[in-house]
């Protein structure tokens, strides 16, 4: 019976999640609430990658905002060019206001092709992660040093985007996006379509991450996390193992950023700096970084709390967010997903132990 239960537990949880996201939520929520949930699910997609890289591989990825931003800007660039073409303009609106020439920058031109733009939302973040990870992991940089490098990259990208106002929109970013591959984002029906796409992408990526978790590679990733030297002694290169997890997590973050743009209609440096990168990790830590479901639920819960509490306590929310991370890491490392197991172990430890009844020789039991 236990074997049958374990066999159907994961498919059952996946089916339940699909019913809730694709069936219950669209019926129960208003258009405004559903658009907010679409935004939160984009953060949950990032959390899936964080669960793989940090929860499974022990990589403290504090720079996922970089890859989220690269995917978001790649998508936004195409959509801005499409909006300009619909109105008969050669340049996006912000370039007409801030630009110094009447010509489109050369590195913008390929993004007019939808296939190229879609590919770049995933391939560009993965390429940057592969380049950075190749040098970092080869030199055996890990722990706090790896986290600091990740944050430095996020800060550098944010500063660069702010300084390129004529070509990236500067501090404002790319805003006022009107269409999504021929569909108007002002139409609530199309906004619901965007939600369904985001929910489907999240479910598919969770299924992919689950396969990686239980595969031979997933076991090797755990081995590298727990004892890197032993893995190297067995003939594997830990740098390559960690690099794969880092690159896959970057691709997921890039895809999340691409989906975030039509859901919200904007992408800016404020969404991809150090603070958002830390927020991605906090969501996974609170929910449970070693659990895919826990990381997703934690990311949605923390994003919802930020949206609701930051309006009422704008000055105190940052401290509360940091407190959540400290409490999760210090007192509940497995996150909320491990709360049930912790309570079961506590009940088992507190249960009275029955002493065996002594049986004398010649006495029948």
């Amino acid at each position: 019976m236990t074997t049958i239960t374990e066999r159907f537990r994961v498919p059952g949880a996946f089916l339940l999640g699909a019913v809730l996201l694709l069936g219950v939520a669209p019926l129960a929520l208003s258009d405004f609430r559903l658009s907010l949930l679409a935004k939160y699910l984009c953060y949950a997609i990032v959390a899936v990658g964080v669960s793989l890289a940090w929860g499974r591989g022990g990589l403290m990825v504090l720079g996922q905002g970089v890859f989220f931003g690269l995917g978001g800007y790649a998508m936004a660039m195409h959509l801005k060019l499409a909006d300009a073409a619909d109105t008969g303009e050669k340049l996006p609106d912000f370039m007409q206001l801030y630009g110094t020439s009447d010509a489109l920058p050369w590195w913008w031109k390929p993004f007019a092709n939808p296939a190229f733009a879609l590919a770049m939302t995933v391939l560009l973040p993965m390429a940057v992660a592969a380049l950075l990870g190749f040098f970092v992991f080869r030199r055996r940089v890990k722990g706090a040093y790896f986290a600091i490098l990740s944050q430095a990259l996020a800060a550098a990208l944010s500063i660069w985007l702010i300084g390129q106002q004529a070509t990236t929109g500067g501090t404002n970013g790319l805003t006022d996006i009107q269409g999504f591959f021929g569909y108007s984002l002002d139409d609530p029906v199309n906004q619901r379509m965007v939600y369904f796409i985001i929910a489907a992408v999240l479910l598919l990526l969770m299924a992919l991450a689950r396969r990686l978790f239980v595969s031979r590679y997933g076991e090797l990733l755990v081995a590298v996390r727990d004892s890197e030297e032993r893995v190297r002694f067995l003939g594997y290169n830990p740098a390559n193992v960690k690099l794969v997890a880092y690159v896959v997590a970057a691709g997921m973050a890039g895809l999340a950023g691409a989906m975030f743009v039509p859901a919200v209609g904007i992408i800016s440096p404020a969404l991809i700096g150090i603070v958002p990168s830390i927020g991605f990790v906090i969501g996974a830590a609170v929910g449970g970084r070693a659990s895919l479901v826990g990381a997703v639920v934690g990311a949605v819960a923390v994003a919802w709390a930020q949206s609701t509490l930051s309006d009422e306590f704008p000055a105190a929310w940052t401290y509360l967010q940091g407190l959540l991370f400290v409490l999760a890491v210090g007192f509940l490392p497995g996150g909320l997903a491990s709360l049930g197991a912790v309570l079961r172990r506590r009940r088992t430890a507190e249960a009275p132990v029955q002493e065996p009844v002594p049986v004398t020789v010649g006495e029948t039991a």
Side-chain angles (χ1 to χ4, degrees):
M1 183 63 69
T2 303
T3 304
I4 296 177
T5 302
E6 290 294 329
R7 182 181 302 174
F8 290 100
R9 180 174 59 86
V10 174
F14 184 84
L15 179 61
L16 177 61
V19 170
L20 291 176
L21 290 177
L22 301 177
V24 176
L27 294 176
L29 300 178
S30 64
D31 292 336
F32 174 72
R33 297 294 180 185
L34 198 65
S35 65
L36 283 180
L37 181 57
K39 172 184 173 181
Y40 302 158
L41 293 185
C42 293
Y43 297 151
I45 293 175
V46 182
V48 173
V50 173
S51 180
L52 174 67
W54 184 30
R56 202 71 175 174
L59 302 174
M60 178 60 81
V61 283
L62 287 178
Q64 293 303 93
V66 172
F67 312 120
F68 184 86
L70 289 174
Y73 269 89
M75 175 64 76
M77 288 166 66
H78 170 72
L79 297 183
K80 291 297 290 183
L81 290 174
D83 288 346
D86 291 339
T87 58
E89 301 290 344
K90 295 182 179 181
L91 298 177
D93 50 6
F94 76 93
M95 286 189 183
Q96 299 177 33
L97 182 62
Y98 302 117
T100 57
S101 67
D102 296 333
L104 188 69
W106 65 268
W107 52 277
W108 268 74
K109 293 179 180 179
F111 288 93
N113 187 310
F116 178 85
L118 282 174
M120 286 298 102
T121 61
V122 178
L123 296 181
L124 183 59
M126 294 179 73
V128 173
L131 182 63
L132 176 65
F134 177 81
F135 292 104
V136 169
F137 298 138
R138 292 285 176 176
R139 293 186 174 275
R140 304 185 184 181
V141 177
K142 54 186 177 180
Y145 300 102
F146 175 72
I148 292 172
L149 283 175
S150 300
Q151 285 198 321
L153 182 62
L157 178 62
S158 179
I159 293 172
W160 181 82
L161 289 171
I162 292 174
Q164 305 298 315
Q165 188 171 16
T167 54
T168 65
T171 305
N172 295 328
L174 304 182
T175 63
D176 195 26
I177 294 173
Q178 301 294 323
F180 181 63
F181 294 97
Y183 295 92
S184 174
L185 292 176
D186 292 332
D187 190 343
V189 175
N190 295 335
Q191 280 288 351
R192 283 183 168 255
M193 176 190 67
V194 171
Y195 167 80
F196 281 114
I197 293 174
I198 293 173
V201 169
L202 172 62
L203 292 171
L204 289 175
L205 291 181
M206 289 182 68
L208 173 63
R210 173 64 185 175
R211 293 303 305 168
L212 289 175
F213 272 35
V214 300
S215 66
R216 182 179 178 85
Y217 169 76
E219 296 177 353
L220 186 59
L221 186 60
V222 173
V224 170
R225 179 195 67 190
D226 295 340
S227 182
E228 187 172 323
E229 294 302 325
R230 290 186 179 182
V231 173
R232 184 176 289 108
F233 177 76
L234 293 174
Y236 296 97
N237 189 343
N240 294 336
V241 177
K242 292 189 287 188
L243 181 62
V244 171
Y246 188 51
V247 170
V248 171
M252 292 181 179
L255 189 55
M259 293 293 98
F260 181 88
V261 171
V264 180
I266 182 176
I267 188 72
S268 70
L271 297 168
I272 64 176
I274 294 178
V275 174
S277 297
I278 296 176
F280 294 143
V281 175
I282 290 176
V286 170
R289 65 181 185 270
S291 167
L292 283 174
V293 176
V296 167
V297 173
V300 173
V302 170
W304 172 82
Q306 181 178 6
S307 297
T308 55
L309 297 179
S310 60
D311 292 337
E312 299 182 9
F313 310 101
W317 164 247
T318 305
Y319 298 102
L320 179 59
Q321 191 178 41
L323 180 62
L324 284 174
F325 184 64
V326 172
L327 292 176
V329 174
F331 298 96
L332 197 63
L336 295 178
S338 66
L339 189 58
V342 171
L343 293 178
R344 284 194 299 270
R345 287 197 299 267
R346 181 170 297 180
R347 285 197 301 266
T348 302
E350 294 176 354
V353 179
Q354 296 182 354
E355 298 182 358
V357 179
V359 179
T360 59
V361 178
E363 182 179 1
T364 59

